[in-house]
Amino acid sequence: MTTQGERTTAPAGSAKRALVGRLSWGLADQAASSISNFAVGIYVARSLGVTAFGVFSLAWVTYGVVLNVSRGLATDPLVVRFSGVPEASWRGAVARSTGTALGVGSALGVVCLAAGLGLGGRVGPAFAALGLMLPGLLLQDAWRFAFFAAGAGRKAFVNDVVWGIALVPAMVVAAHVGTVAAFVLAWGASATVAAGYGHLQAGIRPRTTEARGWLREQRDLGYRYLVENVSLSGASQVRAYGLGVIVGVGAVGAVRGAELLLGPFLAVLMGLSLVTVPEAARVLRQAPRQLGRFCLFLGGGQATGALLWGSALLLMPGRLGELALGDVWHASSHLIVQITLSVAGAGLGTGAAAGLRALGAARRSLRCQLFASACYVGGGLGGAALAGTAGSAWGVAAATVGSSAVWWLQLRSALREHHRTIPEVRTS
């Protein structure tokens, strides 16, 4: 009896240690990404002021849309289907997946460059610079997904550290130039350095010529994830543009400034699938009936962390806020409560979203995301029309919390369906 118990416990303990190790590297990587994004936002806000920072924020949310196109087509299918697979299978998939990401960045980069040259004014140069940098930005993100699919979170962490190191001199140069386009170029150039290092880490060459084959093979997931991802980031972009039209570009900068104060949690939410989807897929293979509990732990932990961080921000002296954001602080400090509730609601919902991704329930997750995006745009723009910047923030907070409930209802239904398909073990 004792020997049998030892045999049963050892593998379970080993699996738990491996899970903790992978999650730890995931948290470390997200911390590196969060610090980098936070530093960029703070530096740009202090250097440019609220209006120019609003222009930078428009370029930032546009990058978010393109990033989610790449993730939906290239890397989301990778982490769902090639997490924990034999190395040969992983390497072939990564070559095609990163090639697809590089192709998406090149194609949409040309579109963004042309749009920027056509727009002119303050916004045009920023978008033109973004177009030039998109291939490197998307390839760097693709390497992170690839490393987490292989359970090699340490490599993703190192890659983000390389980006952060390269970012320092690039930002100093951009500050001397003093334009939004210079900061966009500095941000993208440092990501391109990290993308090149990712190639050395993996020893894999992205195959853009096989992108069409990858899209064809993964079309059952990829195109649904594309619509889902773009609806998410597209909603943010529509809300930002609409807020700029209804209230003014300065309002976009104020919202972005408040989001920066919760930057660590927003960065975790943006890149959550790097850690949680591969781990949820492993839980599903090894202990399928524990998936719901695992997702609740992830979502609840993030929501709690966001609420604690937001509470700390409310107690922060105004002098520290001014030190961090400069003139942007005065407009952003009134939005902390709303942004905190938004991030907490989103954090809770992403736990359920990871479970739906692991289950391959693309139709359910797509319905949830379309509903959430519609609520986000409606709440954000409706609130702006009624009560300006603060009203927009309250509308988004209500939409995010309400949408989180829909994600969990869909996950519960998907888990019930999955459990009914698991064959019962017969003992006689």
Side-chain angles (χ1 to χ4, degrees):
M1 292 293 290
T2 305
T3 303
Q4 184 178 1
E6 290 173 353
R7 287 176 181 173
T8 303
T9 305
S14 177
K16 287 182 179 180
R17 286 193 297 272
L19 171 61
V20 170
R22 290 191 297 268
L23 287 177
S24 297
W25 280 117
L27 291 173
D29 175 72
Q30 291 303 328
S33 178
S34 299
I35 291 170
S36 176
N37 291 335
F38 183 76
V40 169
I42 293 297
Y43 199 69
V44 175
R46 289 186 58 82
S47 300
L48 299 180
V50 67
T51 302
F53 184 57
V55 175
F56 181 84
S57 299
L58 291 177
W60 185 283
V61 297
T62 302
Y63 157 71
V65 175
V66 178
L67 178 66
N68 279 300
V69 171
S70 176
R71 287 182 175 180
L73 294 176
T75 49
D76 282 346
L78 177 74
V79 298
V80 170
R81 287 183 167 154
F82 294 92
S83 292
V85 300
E87 184 179 358
S89 178
W90 173 81
R91 292 180 68 86
V94 168
R96 289 173 289 157
S97 175
T98 53
T100 302
L102 190 56
V104 170
S106 300
L108 295 182
V110 170
V111 174
C112 198
L113 175 61
L117 294 176
L119 284 171
R122 282 188 170 188
V123 177
F127 276 74
L130 178 63
L132 294 173
M133 295 294 104
L134 279 176
L137 284 162
L138 298 191
L139 182 58
Q140 191 275 340
D141 185 73
W143 287 126
R144 296 172 70 212
F145 272 81
F147 294 140
F148 276 107
R154 179 180 61 83
K155 290 186 177 181
F157 168 73
V158 172
N159 193 273
D160 268 327
V161 170
V162 169
W163 186 2
I165 293 173
L167 194 60
V168 174
M171 283 286 140
V172 172
V173 173
H176 284 293
V177 178
T179 65
V180 177
F183 280 104
V184 174
L185 288 172
W187 168 53
S190 55
T192 303
V193 171
Y197 183 65
H199 165 66
L200 297 177
Q201 287 177 292
I204 299 172
R205 181 173 60 85
R207 298 176 185 171
T208 54
T209 55
E210 296 188 19
R212 183 174 297 178
W214 174 262
L215 294 174
R216 185 172 56 252
E217 294 168 11
Q218 310 301 328
R219 62 181 178 272
D220 59 326
L221 293 182
Y223 292 117
R224 286 195 176 97
Y225 289 157
L226 168 65
V227 176
E228 181 180 332
N229 290 354
V230 171
S231 70
L232 170 63
S233 54
S236 299
Q237 191 175 25
V238 170
R239 186 256 183 136
Y241 290 165
L243 186 60
V245 170
I246 296 170
V247 184
V249 177
V252 181
V255 171
R256 177 62 186 153
E259 290 174 347
L260 276 175
L261 296 173
L262 282 118
F265 296 97
L266 287 172
V268 168
L269 293 180
M270 289 178 63
L272 187 63
S273 58
L274 291 171
V275 183
T276 56
V277 175
E279 293 306 325
R282 288 186 176 93
V283 171
L284 181 64
R285 292 190 187 102
Q286 298 169 6
R289 296 191 179 277
Q290 297 298 316
L291 181 60
R293 184 180 300 176
F294 178 78
C295 294
L296 183 61
F297 169 77
L298 291 173
Q302 287 181 97
T304 301
L307 291 173
L308 291 174
W309 186 269
S311 299
L313 289 175
L314 291 173
L315 300 175
M316 183 175 69
R319 287 173 296 178
L320 292 180
E322 292 175 1
L323 182 64
L325 294 179
D327 293 338
V328 178
W329 164 256
H330 298 289
S332 299
S333 59
H334 303 291
L335 307 176
I336 291 176
V337 173
Q338 300 97 307
I339 300 297
T340 297
L341 292 175
S342 297
V343 175
L348 186 61
T350 50
L356 289 174
R357 286 285 176 97
L359 289 165
R363 290 184 179 180
R364 288 186 180 275
S365 61
L366 176 58
R367 287 198 297 266
C368 288
Q369 190 55 65
L370 290 175
F371 174 80
S373 298
C375 291
Y376 183 93
V377 172
L381 298 187
L386 292 173
T389 308
S392 180
W394 278 117
V396 167
T400 306
V401 173
S403 299
S404 176
V406 175
W407 280 103
W408 279 100
L409 289 172
Q410 288 294 320
L411 177 61
R412 185 177 66 174
S413 299
L415 286 172
R416 286 177 177 174
E417 290 178 0
H418 182 76
H419 293 334
R420 283 198 295 267
T421 63
I422 299 176
E424 295 183 1
V425 178
R426 296 185 180 272
T427 58
S428 60

